[in-house]
Amino acid sequence: MLKSAKLAICKVPANDMEALKSNLMGLFEKKRCMNFYKYIENVEDDPSTWKDLDLNNAPMSDVY
């Protein structure tokens, strides 16, 4: 991603710890991103790990 002020390339967070350190997001976005990464780490092919979501039919906005 490019920062609009400096036009510098920034690293997009790839895990929950990078999300907390990133300056690309605000406080609430960091928490939401961190929770999303933790959820993704725990999801398996077994539907019991999906936490009441049908990942085959649910839109990504419901998952996030």
Side-chain angles (χ1 to χ4, degrees):
M1 290 184 69
L2 292 176
K3 285 185 179 179
S4 61
K6 296 181 182 178
L7 293 177
I9 296 175
C10 297
K11 182 175 182 339
V12 176
N15 60 35
D16 56 341
M17 294 309 293
E18 287 180 7
L20 288 175
K21 296 176 184 177
S22 175
N23 59 355
L24 297 174
M25 299 179 279
L27 182 63
F28 293 111
E29 289 86 8
K30 287 180 183 184
K31 181 169 175 26
R32 189 178 314 149
C33 184
M34 184 181 69
N35 290 338
F36 177 70
Y37 285 136
K38 286 183 180 181
Y39 174 75
I40 294 300
E41 287 177 4
N42 294 327
V43 169
E44 301 290 334
D45 288 335
D46 181 19
S48 66
T49 64
W50 296 354
K51 295 186 180 178
D52 301 328
L53 288 172
D54 182 8
L55 297 181
N56 294 322
N57 297 320
M60 229 16 228
S61 60
D62 291 346
V63 176
Y64 186 67

